[in-house]
Amino acid sequence: MLPLDLSQPSVGYRLRQAPGPAMAVVDGEELPLDRLSPEDACALAARRRRFFIGDEVKVLFLGRGLSTPLVHASVAKVHDAEGEGPARLDFGFRGTDLATARKIASFVETLRREGAVRAASTRAFSRELVSDRDRICHVAEILARNRTRALVRLPGDRSATLLRLIAVDRTVGTLTWDSGNLTIEESLQAELIGHSSIFMLDRLPVLASAPGRVITPLPPRLLRTRRRAVGRVRAAPGELTVRFRHPVWRELVAARMVRDFSFRGVSFWCDAVEDLVYPGLLMDEVEVSGEGLSKPVSFRADVRMVAASYLTTEPNGSGHAVGMSLAPRSRGDRQRWARLVGDRLYPATRATGDGGQELWEVYERSGYFALSGKEPQVFAQRRREFQSAGKKLAKAPELGSRVLWSSQRGVECTVSVNKVYRYSWLGHQMARRPADSLPRLDPAPQPAPPSSPQSAKEALRETFLRAFETAHADPDIRWFVGFIEGRVRWMRAANIEFAQQHLAEDQAVALPFRLREGIPSINAPVGGPGAIVSGPMDGDQNLILGALTQIRSRAYREAFDLVPARLDMGEISRRWEKAGMVRSRALRVARHNGKPVAASILERGEPGINLFHLLNAVRLVVLPAGEVLEVEEREAALAELLVDAQRWYAEAGVDGFVYLQEMEVGTHADVAGLKDLGMGYVWALSARLLPEWMEHVYELTSPRAPEPD
């Protein structure tokens, strides 16, 4: 037996205390049973007992006329009672053999069938109760245009039926459902399965019914529960197999057919009693093998869900559907799994480090190179860097990839994602051919016109989802960041408008800025008598961090590594260096009459990763002594920092850099000779908001409503 790890959440099943509780008989005394698994249990003591941590006891369990064999256990934890409530005693079993463990699991399964086991609580990212009719109609229309699947419970039927929502009529207030071969005449209760949300509807009467069609009224309310961080794909029968060795009973090895899978998890069918799987079980030897995998992928796993199959849409006898979260054991495992899941979830896309000639053509034809008023010829000299960086990135996908969406004509849409800070991934370089050049993926029976708005939206959706879900598979991720072009309406709607809803809780950043372009020059003029620029001295770093605390939110500072432990970007720099690429940061300080008045934060990135030099970015910070200067003196100090940046980047061999002119206003950028590339937004979003954001993107890219007759 493995020692009980008290740092982990409790495992097993929580039990109901009514109408009659199951009991733990501990050294002959009956105590109400609160939680039970084949490896441990928790009982409720009505009064303070003589039990102490480490006490050896003998325990058996009673309930619904059944009992388990006697097991040896030790007291792992004693939870003191609050007020008059019962104390809780955690027991870890010792030396339980496989046969006894299965008898305990069978006992739990009987309690489940009798309704004595509490329903497992699925961790919800957020919940939203919608009662406004217009909002309900809006949500229902989006779900209908996507022909969203729904699990439907019918009166007197324990199993679930699969329907699809296909139409909404706002005028009369009805929903139309595709019921397949079924005729439904009474009422139905539905759970609609969105991209990352479940929409729960109250029981609805059937207004009209015919074979294959059901009409119900709009629900008076719906509960939107976001509880899935990424999309899932259904596995074909026999496509993938999950194999695991039990962490407690090591002689138990099982191989089961995969039901569905995602970037972060997998579900499969099994007999939970025979395989001894239960919520909270941590597994350290899990492999997935099958089609699309050159060799098995190894994981550590955490069992999150065990559901009786009759409660699912595909009853599997007396078996169970088991869901596990997965953590790849190595970089190679992570790469192979991400490639398989991405290719299956979004088959029109691929994630690559390179992209080749086809990708470059997308940038040329989309007008991407002209976004900030630049001539496309300017980028011709950067093409070699772009290709070189792609080859390096292909060997280090943990640092990023270029996601491509393709039609039969070739690459049509792309976006890049890169891990540029310790816990943050940058989304950038999105480009798409004009919508009128996109072909249909599924040609209509009649000759299709050359334009297809639906295909354009599909390209955006799948490219975004694959890119950001791939980044989200990084176990260290905490933030998504970006620099959003201010003139692209869709980017503002997808990113900025969503982020602005989460500024108050400090989970997002949407900060306007002007993008300024600088040309490195070793011959940039040396500072005049007003300010002298040099490297930081003792105490300067604390001044810079203190000033940032006053002018930037916690979300901003965390997302962009502007905090004490990560200001030097040491950890992420080492990762890029190991892959043969550059990522670094330096500080420079301007002094006026010997006092530090302003500072620049200079970053370098591998040439070719971003074609607008966004990884060679400068931020300026006015320090306390600079706040009291005359405006002209302060502007001169800031201008001198930008001139110093021109020399610094030239000495580093960089051919371009940008200045993120955020809250700073004035003439300093013009004085330093930097070109104005236009307005934009510094954007950051907590990774915890990914499900909500993906749902937002999903809505924005849903098919348009059909034109009225």
Side-chain angles (χ1 to χ4, degrees):
M1 298 287 290
L2 295 178
L4 189 65
D5 185 353
L6 298 180
S7 67
Q8 298 295 337
S10 59
V11 300
Y13 300 88
R14 298 292 301 276
L15 304 178
R16 300 181 187 277
Q17 298 302 309
M23 308 300 294
V25 183
V26 183
D27 285 346
E29 180 166 352
E30 292 188 357
L31 301 176
L33 184 59
D34 182 63
R35 178 181 53 80
L36 180 60
S37 82
E39 64 176 282
D40 68 353
C42 176
L44 304 176
R47 64 181 187 279
R48 293 296 296 271
R49 292 281 314 239
R50 64 182 182 280
F51 294 120
F52 298 94
I53 294 176
D55 282 354
E56 299 291 333
V57 296
K58 295 179 180 179
V59 186
L60 63 85
F61 305 100
L62 303 173
R64 302 302 195 266
L66 301 174
S67 66
T68 70
L70 196 68
V71 297
H72 294 274
S74 61
V75 178
K77 205 168 191 179
V78 179
H79 306 264
D80 291 333
E82 296 183 3
E84 299 298 323
R88 299 176 66 247
L89 305 174
D90 283 343
F91 302 98
F93 304 158
R94 303 299 179 194
T96 306
D97 60 31
L98 183 59
T100 300
R102 282 174 171 158
K103 289 178 180 178
I104 295 173
S106 179
F107 174 75
V108 173
E109 191 60 29
T110 299
L111 296 182
R112 186 213 291 268
R113 289 195 297 269
E114 295 286 332
V117 173
R118 298 183 192 178
S121 58
T122 302
R123 294 185 306 171
F125 290 94
S126 68
R127 294 174 184 265
E128 176 190 10
L129 182 62
V130 182
S131 56
D132 178 76
R133 187 181 188 277
D134 287 341
R135 174 65 175 152
I136 291 173
C137 287
H138 173 72
V139 171
E141 286 169 346
I142 289 170
L143 296 171
R145 294 201 295 271
N146 285 283
R147 294 183 60 84
T148 301
R149 295 177 301 140
L151 296 181
V152 174
R153 313 287 177 182
L154 303 176
D157 192 348
R158 298 180 68 189
S159 62
T161 300
L162 184 64
L163 273 62
R164 288 186 183 274
L165 180 64
I166 58 174
V168 179
D169 189 323
R170 280 179 176 258
T171 304
V172 298
T174 59
L175 304 176
T176 301
W177 307 80
D178 180 348
S179 59
N181 297 324
L182 295 177
T183 299
I184 302 173
E185 298 180 343
E186 298 183 19
S187 63
L188 57 84
Q189 184 173 7
E191 295 180 8
L192 286 150
I193 306 170
H195 177 73
S196 60
S197 297
I198 301 294
F199 300 84
M200 302 180 67
L201 281 59
D202 292 335
R203 185 167 292 279
L204 302 172
V206 171
L207 302 178
S209 177
R213 288 291 184 271
V214 176
I215 297 177
T216 69
L218 278 169
R221 62 181 185 175
L222 60 83
L223 177 64
R224 180 178 192 164
T225 303
R226 297 183 180 95
R227 58 189 184 191
R228 194 177 284 176
V230 292
R232 297 185 185 182
V233 61
R234 181 71 63 182
E239 178 185 4
L240 296 175
T241 299
V242 58
R243 182 181 183 275
F244 55 89
R245 181 184 296 276
H246 203 284
V248 180
W249 294 275
R250 306 293 288 175
E251 68 271 30
L252 177 54
V253 179
R256 301 290 176 250
M257 186 169 61
V258 170
R259 176 181 176 233
D260 62 27
F261 54 100
S262 71
F263 284 101
R264 287 193 163 193
V266 67
S267 75
F268 57 92
W269 295 113
C270 78
D271 183 326
V273 174
E274 287 299 306
D275 292 345
L276 287 177
V277 291
Y278 37 89
L281 178 66
L282 302 180
M283 297 187 181
D284 57 359
E285 292 186 35
V286 177
E287 287 185 348
V288 177
S289 60
E291 296 179 22
L293 293 172
S294 57
K295 62 179 181 178
V297 184
S298 298
F299 301 95
R300 296 180 179 87
D302 177 2
V303 175
R304 296 293 180 84
M305 177 272 291
V306 179
S309 74
Y310 64 80
L311 296 176
T312 71
T313 59
E314 52 217 294
N316 192 39
S318 59
H320 301 82
V322 177
M324 297 192 303
S325 66
L326 299 176
R329 297 184 67 93
S330 70
R331 183 174 78 172
D333 291 318
R334 183 176 296 113
Q335 293 171 9
R336 292 196 302 280
W337 186 248
R339 186 180 304 115
L340 172 73
V341 176
D343 289 348
R344 288 283 279 107
L345 264 175
Y346 309 111
T349 69
R350 72 181 190 271
T352 177
D354 190 1
Q357 173 65 22
E358 287 184 315
L359 178 56
W360 191 261
E361 289 178 356
V362 172
Y363 288 123
E364 289 180 328
R365 297 181 183 181
S366 67
Y368 176 79
F369 292 147
L371 270 179
S372 295
K374 302 179 74 65
E375 293 297 326
Q377 293 80 1
V378 172
F379 293 91
Q381 61 185 345
R382 300 178 189 170
R383 183 169 180 173
R384 183 175 299 176
E385 293 177 342
F386 180 78
Q387 294 171 338
S388 174
K391 293 176 181 178
K392 295 177 182 178
L393 200 60
K395 298 177 181 178
E398 71 276 9
L399 295 177
S401 63
R402 297 162 178 170
V403 176
L404 319 176
W405 188 93
S406 301
S407 71
Q408 57 266 41
R409 291 194 333 176
V411 178
E412 304 281 1
C413 186
T414 182
V415 67
S416 295
V417 285
N418 291 97
K419 187 171 186 176
V420 296
Y421 300 102
R422 177 66 179 87
Y423 299 110
S424 303
W425 282 71
L426 171 71
H428 60 122
Q429 292 190 157
M430 194 206 83
R432 176 176 59 83
R433 290 184 181 183
D436 59 4
S437 70
L438 285 175
R440 291 181 181 270
L441 285 182
D442 299 309
Q446 301 298 321
S451 64
S452 176
Q454 181 171 340
S455 294
K457 288 190 173 185
E458 186 175 9
L460 282 172
R461 172 189 289 182
E462 295 198 357
T463 305
F464 257 70
L465 294 184
R466 177 157 188 176
F468 284 90
E469 288 184 5
T470 299
H472 195 244
D474 176 6
D476 291 337
I477 192 169
R478 297 180 186 173
W479 299 92
F480 295 103
V481 300
F483 302 98
I484 308 302
E485 164 65 47
R487 291 174 294 180
V488 180
R489 176 70 186 92
W490 191 89
M491 293 295 289
R492 294 202 309 274
N495 299 284
I496 302 307
E497 292 174 10
F498 180 86
Q500 287 170 340
Q501 301 172 30
H502 299 277
L503 298 179
E505 62 261 35
D506 216 6
Q507 294 293 300
V509 174
L511 183 66
F513 79 106
R514 298 201 74 85
L515 185 65
R516 299 280 192 158
E517 182 182 49
I519 305 300
S521 173
I522 199 71
N523 298 317
V526 179
I532 298 175
V533 179
S534 67
M537 299 181 182
D538 289 346
D540 287 348
Q541 179 170 309
N542 289 336
L543 282 175
I544 295 170
L545 289 169
L548 286 168
T549 301
Q550 297 299 313
I551 62 174
R552 298 291 185 267
S553 67
R554 182 200 62 83
Y556 185 104
R557 290 178 281 117
E558 287 287 340
F560 294 100
D561 280 358
L562 298 172
V563 294
R566 305 195 300 275
L567 187 61
D568 65 352
M569 288 176 50
E571 175 65 23
I572 195 65
S573 296
R574 287 188 287 272
R575 294 191 185 189
W576 281 77
E577 183 180 7
K578 186 178 179 180
M581 294 185 283
V582 176
R583 184 76 182 123
S584 63
R585 175 180 278 169
L587 303 178
R588 303 285 288 173
V589 179
R591 287 176 167 78
H592 182 83
N593 294 332
K595 295 181 180 180
V597 295
S600 60
I601 302 172
L602 308 162
E603 294 180 11
R604 279 188 64 197
E606 178 69 14
I609 292 293
N610 182 274
L611 295 167
F612 280 95
H613 295 304
L614 287 177
L615 298 189
N616 300 331
V618 180
R619 290 178 174 84
L620 298 185
V621 183
V622 177
L623 303 178
E627 296 286 358
V628 299
L629 290 177
E630 296 292 335
V631 172
E632 294 79 5
E633 293 174 322
R634 184 166 59 249
E635 286 293 305
L638 294 174
E640 201 56 53
L641 284 168
L642 293 177
V643 172
D644 176 76
Q646 292 175 316
R647 295 193 298 271
W648 187 88
Y649 281 111
E651 291 171 359
V654 174
D655 66 356
F657 71 95
V658 296
Y659 164 42
L660 308 178
Q661 188 173 356
E662 297 168 338
M663 298 171 66
E664 300 82 7
V665 295
T667 62
H668 55 277
D670 296 320
V671 170
L674 272 62
K675 182 179 179 181
D676 189 348
L677 298 184
M679 285 296 298
Y681 295 86
V682 177
W683 173 80
L685 196 70
S686 169
R688 287 182 288 182
L689 294 174
L690 179 73
E692 285 92 337
W693 185 52
M694 288 303 187
E695 200 79 50
H696 177 66
V697 172
Y698 190 84
E699 292 184 7
L700 286 176
T701 54
S702 291
R704 292 177 181 172
E707 295 295 330
D709 295 334

